[in-house]
Amino acid sequence: TVATNYAQEAMEDVKNMDFEKIAPTSKSVINANRKYRIDVNVSLESTNLKKVFTVVSWKNRNGITKTVETSMLVHFTEVFASEPAKIVLFTESYSILNSPISSEYASTKLTAVIKDIKGNTIIDWGEEPDEGNISFSIISTDKFGTLSDDVVTPIDGRAYTTFTSNESMSGIFGINIIEASVTLPNGNVVTDTITIKITNGPVKIKLEAVPLTIKASTTNYSTITASLIDAAGKTLMKKDIFTDVEITFSVFGEGNLSTYTITIPFDSGNEDPASDIIILNSTGNPGLASVVATAADLESGKIDVRFLGPPVAISISANPNPMYFDEAYSTITVSLLDINGFNTNPTDAPITISLALTDYDTGGSLEEPSSWEFPVSNSEGGIKETKFSGQSSTGKAIITASGGGLPEATVTINVISELVPDHIKLTASPQNVKADGLELSTIKATVYDISGKIVTNYTGTISFIKTPDIGTFSDYHFANGVATVKLSSSVAGTATITASSSDGLDCVPAEIVVGFYGVP
Protein backbone atom coordinates (compact mmCIF):
# COMPACT_ATOMS: atom_id res chain seq x y z
CA THR A 1 0.00 0.00 0.00
CA VAL A 2 2.83 2.42 0.84
CA ALA A 3 4.56 1.74 -2.50
CA THR A 4 1.29 2.06 -4.41
CA ASN A 5 0.66 5.44 -2.78
CA TYR A 6 4.14 6.63 -3.77
CA ALA A 7 3.50 5.52 -7.37
CA GLN A 8 0.18 7.36 -7.46
CA GLU A 9 1.74 10.50 -5.96
CA ALA A 10 4.51 10.43 -8.59
CA MET A 11 1.95 10.20 -11.39
CA GLU A 12 -0.08 13.06 -9.90
CA ASP A 13 3.09 15.17 -9.79
CA VAL A 14 3.66 14.43 -13.48
CA LYS A 15 0.08 15.39 -14.35
CA ASN A 16 0.60 18.78 -12.69
CA MET A 17 3.88 19.51 -14.51
CA ASP A 18 4.34 21.64 -17.59
CA PHE A 19 4.85 19.33 -20.56
CA GLU A 20 8.48 20.40 -21.10
CA LYS A 21 9.33 19.67 -17.45
CA ILE A 22 8.27 16.02 -17.64
CA ALA A 23 11.65 14.28 -17.55
CA PRO A 24 13.22 11.17 -16.01
CA THR A 25 13.75 11.44 -12.24
CA SER A 26 14.92 9.24 -9.38
CA LYS A 27 14.58 9.81 -5.65
CA SER A 28 14.56 7.82 -2.41
CA VAL A 29 12.29 8.17 0.63
CA ILE A 30 12.24 6.49 4.06
CA ASN A 31 8.98 5.23 5.53
CA ALA A 32 8.80 3.15 8.73
CA ASN A 33 12.54 2.39 8.51
CA ARG A 34 12.14 1.05 4.98
CA LYS A 35 13.77 2.74 1.97
CA TYR A 36 11.73 3.18 -1.20
CA ARG A 37 13.15 4.37 -4.52
CA ILE A 38 10.80 6.15 -6.92
CA ASP A 39 11.93 6.21 -10.55
CA VAL A 40 10.12 7.99 -13.36
CA ASN A 41 11.02 7.08 -16.95
CA VAL A 42 9.82 9.27 -19.82
CA SER A 43 9.84 8.54 -23.54
CA LEU A 44 8.89 11.14 -26.14
CA GLU A 45 6.40 9.43 -28.47
CA SER A 46 5.82 12.58 -30.57
CA THR A 47 6.26 16.33 -30.24
CA ASN A 48 3.21 16.61 -27.97
CA LEU A 49 2.95 13.09 -26.50
CA LYS A 50 5.04 11.51 -23.74
CA LYS A 51 4.77 8.04 -22.23
CA VAL A 52 5.54 7.93 -18.51
CA PHE A 53 6.51 4.83 -16.52
CA THR A 54 6.78 4.94 -12.72
CA VAL A 55 8.55 2.21 -10.75
CA VAL A 56 8.63 2.13 -6.95
CA SER A 57 11.14 -0.41 -5.61
CA TRP A 58 12.14 -1.59 -2.14
CA LYS A 59 13.63 -4.63 -0.40
CA ASN A 60 11.46 -6.82 1.80
CA ARG A 61 12.62 -8.32 5.10
CA ASN A 62 14.32 -11.15 3.19
CA GLY A 63 16.36 -8.73 1.09
CA ILE A 64 14.37 -9.45 -2.08
CA THR A 65 13.63 -6.47 -4.33
CA LYS A 66 9.93 -5.80 -4.82
CA THR A 67 8.35 -3.32 -7.23
CA VAL A 68 5.11 -1.53 -8.02
CA GLU A 69 4.75 -0.24 -11.59
CA THR A 70 2.35 2.06 -13.38
CA SER A 71 2.29 3.97 -16.67
CA MET A 72 0.33 6.63 -18.52
CA LEU A 73 0.34 8.83 -21.62
CA VAL A 74 0.55 12.62 -21.34
CA HIS A 75 -0.74 14.66 -24.28
CA PHE A 76 -0.34 18.42 -24.58
CA THR A 77 -2.22 20.71 -26.94
CA GLU A 78 -1.15 24.34 -26.99
CA VAL A 79 -3.74 27.04 -27.66
CA PHE A 80 -3.71 30.83 -27.66
CA ALA A 81 -2.28 32.10 -24.38
CA SER A 82 -3.99 34.36 -21.88
CA GLU A 83 -2.10 36.51 -19.36
CA PRO A 84 1.56 35.68 -18.55
CA ALA A 85 1.76 33.87 -15.22
CA LYS A 86 4.96 31.81 -14.97
CA ILE A 87 8.30 30.87 -16.46
CA VAL A 88 9.33 27.31 -17.33
CA LEU A 89 12.98 26.28 -17.55
CA PHE A 90 14.19 23.05 -19.16
CA THR A 91 17.26 21.74 -20.96
CA GLU A 92 18.40 19.35 -23.68
CA SER A 93 20.36 17.20 -21.22
CA TYR A 94 20.25 17.13 -17.44
CA SER A 95 23.72 15.53 -17.26
CA ILE A 96 26.95 16.76 -18.86
CA LEU A 97 30.59 15.70 -18.89
CA ASN A 98 32.96 17.39 -16.47
CA SER A 99 35.77 17.16 -19.00
CA PRO A 100 37.03 17.75 -21.59
CA ILE A 101 35.16 21.02 -22.01
CA SER A 102 35.90 20.88 -25.74
CA SER A 103 33.37 18.03 -25.98
CA GLU A 104 29.88 18.95 -27.13
CA TYR A 105 28.63 16.76 -24.26
CA ALA A 106 30.24 19.05 -21.67
CA SER A 107 27.51 21.63 -22.27
CA THR A 108 23.76 21.76 -22.59
CA LYS A 109 21.33 24.27 -24.09
CA LEU A 110 18.80 25.76 -21.65
CA THR A 111 15.40 27.09 -22.70
CA ALA A 112 13.20 29.41 -20.64
CA VAL A 113 9.61 29.93 -21.78
CA ILE A 114 7.10 32.50 -20.54
CA LYS A 115 3.67 30.89 -20.20
CA ASP A 116 0.15 31.52 -19.01
CA ILE A 117 -1.29 29.59 -16.06
CA LYS A 118 -2.35 26.70 -18.33
CA GLY A 119 1.06 26.25 -19.93
CA ASN A 120 0.52 28.10 -23.22
CA THR A 121 3.48 30.12 -24.52
CA ILE A 122 3.25 33.93 -24.60
CA ILE A 123 4.53 34.21 -28.17
CA ASP A 124 4.01 38.01 -28.33
CA TRP A 125 6.08 38.70 -25.20
CA GLY A 126 8.05 41.93 -25.58
CA GLU A 127 5.46 43.88 -27.54
CA GLU A 128 4.51 45.82 -24.40
CA PRO A 129 7.01 48.17 -22.68
CA ASP A 130 6.84 46.33 -19.33
CA GLU A 131 7.67 42.93 -20.86
CA GLY A 132 11.42 42.63 -20.40
CA ASN A 133 14.34 40.23 -20.49
CA ILE A 134 14.84 36.82 -18.90
CA SER A 135 17.70 36.41 -16.42
CA PHE A 136 19.68 33.21 -15.86
CA SER A 137 21.89 32.44 -12.86
CA ILE A 138 23.69 29.55 -11.16
CA ILE A 139 22.37 29.59 -7.60
CA SER A 140 24.53 26.74 -6.23
CA THR A 141 27.38 27.72 -3.90
CA ASP A 142 29.94 25.63 -5.80
CA LYS A 143 29.77 26.53 -9.45
CA PHE A 144 30.94 23.73 -11.73
CA GLY A 145 30.13 25.55 -14.95
CA THR A 146 29.39 28.85 -16.64
CA LEU A 147 26.48 30.36 -18.55
CA SER A 148 26.96 31.81 -22.02
CA ASP A 149 24.40 34.55 -21.34
CA ASP A 150 22.99 35.89 -18.06
CA VAL A 151 20.36 38.22 -19.52
CA VAL A 152 18.53 37.34 -22.74
CA THR A 153 15.80 39.08 -24.74
CA PRO A 154 13.09 36.50 -25.50
CA ILE A 155 12.05 35.70 -29.06
CA ASP A 156 8.48 34.41 -29.36
CA GLY A 157 8.39 34.08 -25.57
CA ARG A 158 11.56 31.95 -25.41
CA ALA A 159 15.10 32.69 -24.28
CA TYR A 160 18.19 30.51 -24.54
CA THR A 161 21.55 30.15 -22.86
CA THR A 162 24.20 27.43 -22.65
CA PHE A 163 25.62 25.89 -19.48
CA THR A 164 29.17 24.54 -19.93
CA SER A 165 31.38 22.69 -17.47
CA ASN A 166 34.44 24.56 -16.17
CA GLU A 167 36.22 21.30 -15.20
CA SER A 168 36.34 22.34 -11.54
CA MET A 169 34.30 19.37 -10.26
CA SER A 170 36.76 17.04 -8.48
CA GLY A 171 34.50 14.37 -6.94
CA ILE A 172 32.37 11.59 -8.38
CA PHE A 173 29.75 14.08 -9.54
CA GLY A 174 28.65 17.63 -8.92
CA ILE A 175 25.24 19.28 -8.93
CA ASN A 176 24.43 22.79 -10.09
CA ILE A 177 21.02 24.41 -9.79
CA ILE A 178 20.24 27.01 -12.44
CA GLU A 179 17.46 29.56 -12.14
CA ALA A 180 15.58 31.56 -14.76
CA SER A 181 13.55 34.60 -13.75
CA VAL A 182 11.43 37.29 -15.35
CA THR A 183 9.33 40.21 -14.11
CA LEU A 184 5.69 40.01 -15.18
CA PRO A 185 3.70 43.11 -16.19
CA ASN A 186 1.99 43.07 -12.77
CA GLY A 187 5.38 43.47 -11.07
CA ASN A 188 5.65 39.91 -9.78
CA VAL A 189 8.95 38.12 -10.33
CA VAL A 190 8.49 34.47 -11.33
CA THR A 191 11.26 31.88 -11.32
CA ASP A 192 11.94 28.28 -12.22
CA THR A 193 14.96 26.04 -11.66
CA ILE A 194 16.57 22.93 -13.08
CA THR A 195 19.30 20.67 -11.73
CA ILE A 196 22.31 19.73 -13.88
CA LYS A 197 24.58 16.80 -13.01
CA ILE A 198 28.27 17.21 -13.91
CA THR A 199 30.28 13.99 -14.07
CA ASN A 200 32.45 11.73 -16.19
CA GLY A 201 30.86 8.74 -14.50
CA PRO A 202 27.60 6.91 -15.26
CA VAL A 203 24.46 8.98 -15.74
CA LYS A 204 22.03 6.61 -17.46
CA ILE A 205 21.15 2.98 -18.10
CA LYS A 206 21.07 2.06 -21.78
CA LEU A 207 18.99 -0.94 -22.85
CA GLU A 208 19.38 -2.89 -26.09
CA ALA A 209 17.32 -5.88 -27.24
CA VAL A 210 18.07 -8.67 -29.73
CA PRO A 211 15.73 -9.29 -31.43
CA LEU A 212 13.44 -6.28 -31.19
CA THR A 213 10.63 -8.18 -32.91
CA ILE A 214 9.76 -11.89 -32.67
CA LYS A 215 6.70 -14.15 -32.76
CA ALA A 216 4.73 -14.52 -29.53
CA SER A 217 5.46 -17.98 -28.12
CA THR A 218 6.37 -19.22 -24.67
CA THR A 219 9.58 -20.62 -26.21
CA ASN A 220 10.64 -17.30 -27.75
CA TYR A 221 12.68 -14.63 -26.03
CA SER A 222 14.75 -11.49 -26.53
CA THR A 223 18.14 -10.85 -24.92
CA ILE A 224 18.26 -7.51 -23.10
CA THR A 225 21.65 -5.87 -22.54
CA ALA A 226 21.87 -3.20 -19.82
CA SER A 227 24.88 -0.86 -19.97
CA LEU A 228 25.99 2.10 -17.87
CA ILE A 229 26.72 5.11 -20.08
CA ASP A 230 28.18 8.56 -19.52
CA ALA A 231 26.75 11.90 -20.65
CA ALA A 232 28.23 11.36 -24.12
CA GLY A 233 26.33 8.08 -24.48
CA LYS A 234 29.53 6.01 -24.24
CA THR A 235 29.41 2.66 -22.43
CA LEU A 236 31.79 2.88 -19.48
CA MET A 237 34.26 0.28 -18.28
CA LYS A 238 33.78 -1.35 -14.89
CA LYS A 239 36.78 0.60 -13.59
CA ASP A 240 35.02 3.91 -14.36
CA ILE A 241 31.68 3.49 -12.55
CA PHE A 242 32.99 4.42 -9.03
CA THR A 243 30.76 1.96 -7.14
CA ASP A 244 28.67 -1.19 -7.55
CA VAL A 245 25.41 -0.41 -9.37
CA GLU A 246 22.29 -2.42 -8.61
CA ILE A 247 19.75 -2.30 -11.44
CA THR A 248 16.08 -3.13 -10.95
CA PHE A 249 14.01 -4.21 -13.96
CA SER A 250 10.28 -3.96 -14.57
CA VAL A 251 8.25 -5.13 -17.54
CA PHE A 252 4.99 -3.63 -18.80
CA GLY A 253 2.95 -5.75 -21.19
CA GLU A 254 3.42 -9.20 -22.70
CA GLY A 255 6.73 -10.33 -21.24
CA ASN A 256 8.38 -12.00 -18.26
CA LEU A 257 11.97 -11.43 -17.14
CA SER A 258 14.51 -14.09 -16.21
CA THR A 259 15.58 -11.91 -13.27
CA TYR A 260 14.45 -8.57 -11.93
CA THR A 261 17.67 -7.41 -10.26
CA ILE A 262 21.32 -7.44 -11.34
CA THR A 263 24.45 -5.78 -9.98
CA ILE A 264 27.20 -4.41 -12.21
CA PRO A 265 30.32 -4.43 -10.00
CA PHE A 266 32.91 -1.67 -9.76
CA ASP A 267 36.40 -3.05 -10.39
CA SER A 268 39.26 -0.53 -10.41
CA GLY A 269 41.39 -2.59 -12.79
CA ASN A 270 38.71 -4.04 -15.05
CA GLU A 271 38.34 -2.64 -18.55
CA ASP A 272 35.37 -4.83 -19.45
CA PRO A 273 32.16 -2.98 -20.38
CA ALA A 274 29.91 -2.07 -17.46
CA SER A 275 27.14 -4.24 -18.92
CA ASP A 276 25.09 -7.34 -18.17
CA ILE A 277 22.25 -9.27 -19.80
CA ILE A 278 18.84 -10.58 -18.83
CA ILE A 279 16.24 -12.53 -20.81
CA LEU A 280 12.79 -11.23 -21.75
CA ASN A 281 10.48 -14.20 -22.33
CA SER A 282 7.25 -13.98 -24.30
CA THR A 283 4.05 -14.70 -22.37
CA GLY A 284 2.74 -16.39 -25.51
CA ASN A 285 0.32 -13.53 -26.13
CA PRO A 286 0.96 -11.04 -28.95
CA GLY A 287 1.67 -7.50 -27.83
CA LEU A 288 4.27 -4.99 -26.75
CA ALA A 289 6.61 -5.59 -23.82
CA SER A 290 8.26 -2.46 -22.39
CA VAL A 291 11.27 -3.13 -20.18
CA VAL A 292 12.31 -0.37 -17.77
CA ALA A 293 15.62 -0.43 -15.86
CA THR A 294 16.20 1.78 -12.80
CA ALA A 295 19.09 2.44 -10.42
CA ALA A 296 19.86 4.94 -7.68
CA ASP A 297 21.06 8.35 -8.95
CA LEU A 298 20.88 7.27 -12.60
CA GLU A 299 18.45 8.09 -15.39
CA SER A 300 16.35 5.03 -16.11
CA GLY A 301 16.40 3.16 -19.41
CA LYS A 302 13.55 1.72 -21.49
CA ILE A 303 13.21 -0.48 -24.54
CA ASP A 304 10.22 -1.97 -26.35
CA VAL A 305 10.07 -5.50 -27.77
CA ARG A 306 7.23 -6.58 -30.05
CA PHE A 307 5.86 -10.10 -29.72
CA LEU A 308 3.93 -10.76 -32.93
CA GLY A 309 0.71 -12.65 -33.49
CA PRO A 310 -0.53 -14.40 -36.65
CA PRO A 311 -1.92 -12.29 -39.53
CA VAL A 312 -5.50 -11.10 -39.08
CA ALA A 313 -5.60 -8.33 -41.69
CA ILE A 314 -4.03 -7.02 -44.89
CA SER A 315 -2.61 -3.50 -44.98
CA ILE A 316 -2.53 -1.65 -48.31
CA SER A 317 -1.60 1.98 -48.92
CA ALA A 318 -0.63 4.29 -51.78
CA ASN A 319 1.89 7.12 -51.84
CA PRO A 320 1.37 9.72 -53.10
CA ASN A 321 -2.39 9.78 -52.67
CA PRO A 322 -3.93 11.83 -54.08
CA MET A 323 -1.61 11.74 -57.07
CA TYR A 324 -1.48 14.34 -59.78
CA PHE A 325 -2.34 13.63 -63.37
CA ASP A 326 1.24 14.34 -64.46
CA GLU A 327 2.96 12.29 -61.73
CA ALA A 328 4.86 9.23 -62.91
CA TYR A 329 3.42 6.73 -60.42
CA SER A 330 2.05 6.00 -56.96
CA THR A 331 3.81 3.35 -54.86
CA ILE A 332 1.50 0.62 -53.53
CA THR A 333 2.64 -0.94 -50.24
CA VAL A 334 1.25 -4.24 -48.89
CA SER A 335 1.88 -6.04 -45.60
CA LEU A 336 0.21 -8.40 -43.13
CA LEU A 337 -0.90 -7.17 -39.71
CA ASP A 338 -1.46 -8.96 -36.42
CA ILE A 339 -4.16 -8.14 -33.86
CA ASN A 340 -2.11 -5.20 -32.54
CA GLY A 341 -1.44 -3.68 -35.97
CA PHE A 342 2.20 -4.84 -36.09
CA ASN A 343 3.70 -6.10 -39.36
CA THR A 344 3.85 -9.88 -39.13
CA ASN A 345 4.39 -13.05 -41.15
CA PRO A 346 2.31 -16.24 -41.37
CA THR A 347 2.64 -18.67 -38.47
CA ASP A 348 1.58 -22.03 -39.93
CA ALA A 349 1.63 -21.84 -43.75
CA PRO A 350 2.66 -19.31 -46.42
CA ILE A 351 0.05 -16.78 -47.54
CA THR A 352 -0.25 -15.38 -51.07
CA ILE A 353 -1.65 -11.87 -51.44
CA SER A 354 -2.77 -10.64 -54.87
CA LEU A 355 -3.73 -7.16 -56.06
CA ALA A 356 -6.42 -6.27 -58.57
CA LEU A 357 -7.57 -3.00 -60.13
CA THR A 358 -11.30 -3.29 -59.49
CA ASP A 359 -12.42 0.17 -60.65
CA TYR A 360 -10.32 2.66 -62.57
CA ASP A 361 -11.89 5.32 -64.76
CA THR A 362 -8.47 6.98 -64.68
CA GLY A 363 -6.86 4.38 -66.90
CA GLY A 364 -3.49 3.02 -65.84
CA SER A 365 -2.24 -0.32 -64.58
CA LEU A 366 -0.35 -2.13 -61.84
CA GLU A 367 3.27 -3.03 -62.44
CA GLU A 368 4.39 -6.61 -61.89
CA PRO A 369 4.75 -8.28 -59.54
CA SER A 370 1.30 -7.64 -58.12
CA SER A 371 1.12 -10.93 -56.21
CA TRP A 372 3.47 -12.14 -53.47
CA GLU A 373 3.97 -15.10 -51.19
CA PHE A 374 4.55 -14.19 -47.54
CA PRO A 375 6.58 -17.05 -46.00
CA VAL A 376 6.28 -18.53 -42.53
CA SER A 377 8.70 -16.65 -40.31
CA ASN A 378 9.47 -16.01 -36.66
CA SER A 379 10.43 -12.40 -37.31
CA GLU A 380 8.83 -9.12 -38.34
CA GLY A 381 6.66 -9.22 -41.44
CA GLY A 382 7.94 -8.19 -44.82
CA ILE A 383 6.64 -5.26 -46.86
CA LYS A 384 5.91 -5.68 -50.57
CA GLU A 385 5.74 -2.88 -53.12
CA THR A 386 4.55 -2.28 -56.66
CA LYS A 387 3.46 0.78 -58.65
CA PHE A 388 0.29 2.16 -60.16
CA SER A 389 1.10 4.21 -63.27
CA GLY A 390 -0.04 5.15 -66.76
CA GLN A 391 -3.13 7.12 -65.66
CA SER A 392 -4.70 8.94 -68.60
CA SER A 393 -7.37 11.05 -66.89
CA THR A 394 -8.48 12.33 -63.52
CA GLY A 395 -10.76 10.22 -61.34
CA LYS A 396 -10.42 7.28 -58.95
CA ALA A 397 -8.52 4.01 -59.10
CA ILE A 398 -9.52 1.32 -56.58
CA ILE A 399 -7.01 -1.44 -55.81
CA THR A 400 -8.05 -4.54 -53.84
CA ALA A 401 -5.71 -6.86 -51.93
CA SER A 402 -6.91 -10.39 -51.12
CA GLY A 403 -5.69 -13.85 -50.17
CA GLY A 404 -4.94 -16.22 -47.31
CA GLY A 405 -8.52 -16.25 -46.09
CA LEU A 406 -8.06 -12.72 -44.72
CA PRO A 407 -10.59 -9.90 -45.16
CA GLU A 408 -10.08 -7.99 -48.40
CA ALA A 409 -8.45 -4.57 -48.12
CA THR A 410 -8.70 -1.70 -50.58
CA VAL A 411 -7.06 1.61 -51.29
CA THR A 412 -8.59 4.34 -53.45
CA ILE A 413 -6.17 6.55 -55.38
CA ASN A 414 -7.54 9.94 -56.33
CA VAL A 415 -6.00 11.24 -59.55
CA ILE A 416 -6.38 15.03 -59.65
CA SER A 417 -5.42 17.89 -61.96
CA GLU A 418 -1.81 18.82 -62.54
CA LEU A 419 0.21 20.86 -60.05
CA VAL A 420 -0.47 24.62 -59.93
CA PRO A 421 1.79 26.72 -57.65
CA ASP A 422 -0.17 28.72 -55.07
CA HIS A 423 2.11 29.76 -52.18
CA ILE A 424 5.45 29.28 -50.40
CA LYS A 425 5.81 27.96 -46.86
CA LEU A 426 8.87 29.30 -45.02
CA THR A 427 10.49 27.46 -42.07
CA ALA A 428 13.73 27.54 -40.08
CA SER A 429 15.13 24.67 -38.01
CA PRO A 430 16.35 25.29 -35.43
CA GLN A 431 15.24 28.89 -34.96
CA ASN A 432 17.91 29.55 -32.34
CA VAL A 433 21.55 28.50 -32.76
CA LYS A 434 24.91 29.27 -31.19
CA ALA A 435 26.73 32.32 -32.55
CA ASP A 436 29.92 30.31 -33.06
CA GLY A 437 30.04 30.42 -36.86
CA LEU A 438 29.62 26.63 -36.94
CA GLU A 439 26.13 25.76 -35.76
CA LEU A 440 23.63 26.02 -38.59
CA SER A 441 19.97 26.82 -39.06
CA THR A 442 18.36 25.28 -42.14
CA ILE A 443 16.04 27.71 -43.92
CA LYS A 444 13.50 26.01 -46.17
CA ALA A 445 11.02 27.42 -48.67
CA THR A 446 8.52 24.90 -50.06
CA VAL A 447 6.18 25.59 -52.98
CA TYR A 448 2.62 24.28 -52.44
CA ASP A 449 -0.54 24.17 -54.49
CA ILE A 450 -3.88 25.29 -53.06
CA SER A 451 -4.60 21.82 -51.60
CA GLY A 452 -1.32 21.67 -49.67
CA LYS A 453 0.54 19.45 -52.14
CA ILE A 454 4.22 20.18 -52.82
CA VAL A 455 4.65 21.38 -56.41
CA THR A 456 7.51 19.05 -57.28
CA ASN A 457 7.64 20.22 -60.90
CA TYR A 458 7.97 23.93 -60.05
CA THR A 459 10.13 25.69 -62.66
CA GLY A 460 10.45 29.13 -61.05
CA THR A 461 13.25 30.38 -58.79
CA ILE A 462 13.36 30.98 -55.02
CA SER A 463 15.50 33.65 -53.31
CA PHE A 464 16.28 34.24 -49.62
CA ILE A 465 16.99 37.62 -47.98
CA LYS A 466 18.14 38.32 -44.39
CA THR A 467 17.66 41.60 -42.54
CA PRO A 468 19.86 42.94 -41.05
CA ASP A 469 22.77 41.45 -42.96
CA ILE A 470 23.91 39.25 -40.07
CA GLY A 471 25.38 35.80 -40.62
CA THR A 472 26.27 33.91 -43.77
CA PHE A 473 24.17 31.87 -46.19
CA SER A 474 25.69 28.66 -47.56
CA ASP A 475 24.80 25.41 -49.35
CA TYR A 476 21.82 26.69 -51.34
CA HIS A 477 19.88 23.84 -52.94
CA PHE A 478 16.68 23.79 -54.98
CA ALA A 479 14.92 20.70 -56.31
CA ASN A 480 11.41 19.24 -56.52
CA GLY A 481 9.74 22.41 -55.32
CA VAL A 482 11.89 22.79 -52.18
CA ALA A 483 14.65 25.39 -51.71
CA THR A 484 17.01 25.18 -48.72
CA VAL A 485 19.92 27.24 -47.49
CA LYS A 486 22.11 27.08 -44.37
CA LEU A 487 22.57 30.11 -42.12
CA SER A 488 25.31 30.59 -39.51
CA SER A 489 26.75 33.54 -37.61
CA SER A 490 29.70 34.29 -35.35
CA VAL A 491 27.90 37.38 -34.02
CA ALA A 492 25.03 37.24 -31.53
CA GLY A 493 21.74 38.80 -32.61
CA THR A 494 18.70 38.07 -34.75
CA ALA A 495 18.09 37.89 -38.49
CA THR A 496 14.71 38.22 -40.19
CA ILE A 497 14.47 35.90 -43.19
CA THR A 498 12.14 36.34 -46.15
CA ALA A 499 11.68 34.22 -49.27
CA SER A 500 10.46 35.29 -52.69
CA SER A 501 9.74 33.54 -55.98
CA SER A 502 10.21 34.61 -59.58
CA ASP A 503 6.44 34.49 -60.14
CA GLY A 504 5.51 36.45 -56.98
CA LEU A 505 3.91 33.68 -54.91
CA ASP A 506 2.66 34.61 -51.44
CA CYS A 507 4.93 33.47 -48.60
CA VAL A 508 3.50 32.00 -45.36
CA PRO A 509 4.62 33.26 -42.93
CA ALA A 510 5.81 36.46 -44.58
CA GLU A 511 9.04 36.27 -42.57
CA ILE A 512 10.76 34.17 -39.93
CA VAL A 513 13.28 35.16 -37.25
CA VAL A 514 16.47 33.21 -36.51
CA GLY A 515 18.28 34.01 -33.26
CA PHE A 516 22.01 33.60 -32.60
CA TYR A 517 22.91 33.33 -28.92
CA GLY A 518 26.32 33.84 -27.36
CA VAL A 519 28.78 31.16 -26.29
CA PRO A 520 31.20 31.30 -23.34
Side-chain angles (χ1 to χ4, degrees), residues 340-471:
N340 296 297
F342 299 150
N343 282 349
T344 191
N345 273 317
T347 302
D348 300 318
I351 290 177
T352 297
I353 301 297
S354 300
L355 303 186
L357 266 169
T358 55
D359 188 2
Y360 54 112
D361 56 6
T362 61
S365 61
L366 289 171
E367 292 187 4
E368 295 297 335
S370 59
S371 180
W372 307 272
E373 181 181 273
F374 289 80
V376 173
S377 174
N378 211 22
S379 60
E380 185 174 12
I383 297 175
K384 308 298 184 181
E385 289 185 352
T386 188
K387 295 175 181 177
F388 169 76
S389 60
Q391 64 277 11
S392 56
S393 65
T394 59
K396 294 182 178 180
I398 300 175
I399 303 171
T400 300
S402 61
L406 300 173
E408 288 187 350
T410 63
V411 63
T412 299
I413 301 175
N414 292 298
V415 180
I416 58 179
S417 300
E418 62 270 12
L419 301 162
V420 178
D422 178 75
H423 64 278
I424 299 170
K425 181 179 179 181
L426 181 64
T427 62
S429 180
Q431 276 192 252
N432 292 274
V433 296
K434 292 179 183 178
D436 59 2
L438 299 174
E439 193 165 310
L440 299 168
S441 176
T442 299
I443 315 300
K444 181 165 69 173
T446 306
V447 182
Y448 287 92
D449 76 346
I450 196 169
S451 70
K453 177 79 173 181
I454 297 176
V455 184
T456 56
N457 60 351
Y458 183 67
T459 57
T461 59
I462 302 290
S463 301
F464 295 99
I465 299 174
K466 49 186 169 63
T467 307
D469 190 17
I470 181 176

Side-chain angles (χ1 to χ4, degrees), residues 153-438:
T153 301
I155 299 173
D156 296 332
R158 293 172 174 257
Y160 305 87
T161 190
T162 300
F163 176 75
T164 302
S165 168
N166 58 17
E167 293 185 301
S168 66
M169 197 283 299
S170 59
I172 295 176
F173 66 87
I175 296 294
N176 270 179
I177 299 174
I178 301 172
E179 180 183 82
S181 63
V182 70
T183 302
L184 300 180
N186 61 12
N188 292 338
V189 177
V190 290
T191 64
D192 193 19
T193 61
I194 58 171
T195 299
I196 305 293
K197 185 177 186 179
I198 304 96
T199 180
N200 280 9
V203 299
K204 183 179 179 179
I205 306 167
K206 178 183 178 181
L207 296 183
E208 298 171 287
V210 179
L212 281 168
T213 304
I214 193 170
K215 278 293 179 66
S217 167
T218 54
T219 60
N220 283 343
Y221 63 89
S222 179
T223 301
I224 309 295
T225 301
S227 304
L228 303 180
I229 62 174
D230 64 12
K234 174 186 173 184
T235 298
L236 295 170
M237 301 176 189
K238 290 180 178 177
K239 68 182 182 66
D240 296 324
I241 63 175
F242 301 121
T243 187
D244 294 353
V245 177
E246 182 180 87
I247 299 176
T248 300
F249 295 90
S250 301
V251 61
F252 298 77
E254 298 299 339
N256 296 310
L257 295 170
S258 58
T259 184
Y260 288 81
T261 305
I262 63 171
T263 298
I264 298 179
F266 165 67
D267 187 341
S268 60
N270 194 328
E271 295 189 351
D272 290 339
S275 304
D276 205 347
I277 64 170
I278 63 170
I279 300 300
L280 173 67
N281 295 295
S282 168
T283 63
N285 299 318
L288 190 70
S290 297
V291 179
V292 176
T294 61
D297 300 320
L298 296 181
E299 184 180 331
S300 54
K302 182 183 81 74
I303 197 161
D304 294 330
V305 175
R306 292 180 176 183
F307 290 110
L308 305 174
V312 298
I314 304 169
S315 171
I316 181 171
S317 62
N319 183 41
N321 188 18
M323 68 181 298
Y324 283 83
F325 174 74
D326 58 352
E327 284 189 281
Y329 59 85
S330 179
T331 299
I332 311 303
T333 303
V334 179
S335 62
L336 302 179
L337 303 180
D338 73 358
I339 193 171
N340 296 297
F342 299 150
N343 282 349
T344 191
N345 273 317
T347 302
D348 300 318
I351 290 177
T352 297
I353 301 297
S354 300
L355 303 186
L357 266 169
T358 55
D359 188 2
Y360 54 112
D361 56 6
T362 61
S365 61
L366 289 171
E367 292 187 4
E368 295 297 335
S370 59
S371 180
W372 307 272
E373 181 181 273
F374 289 80
V376 173
S377 174
N378 211 22
S379 60
E380 185 174 12
I383 297 175
K384 308 298 184 181
E385 289 185 352
T386 188
K387 295 175 181 177
F388 169 76
S389 60
Q391 64 277 11
S392 56
S393 65
T394 59
K396 294 182 178 180
I398 300 175
I399 303 171
T400 300
S402 61
L406 300 173
E408 288 187 350
T410 63
V411 63
T412 299
I413 301 175
N414 292 298
V415 180
I416 58 179
S417 300
E418 62 270 12
L419 301 162
V420 178
D422 178 75
H423 64 278
I424 299 170
K425 181 179 179 181
L426 181 64
T427 62
S429 180
Q431 276 192 252
N432 292 274
V433 296
K434 292 179 183 178
D436 59 2
L438 299 174

Side-chain angles (χ1 to χ4, degrees), residues 16 18 81-86 114-120 122:
N16 294 325
D18 285 278
S82 55
E83 295 300 315
K86 60 184 177 181
I114 302 168
K115 292 176 171 283
D116 68 5
I117 195 65
K118 293 185 177 180
N120 301 300
I122 311 295

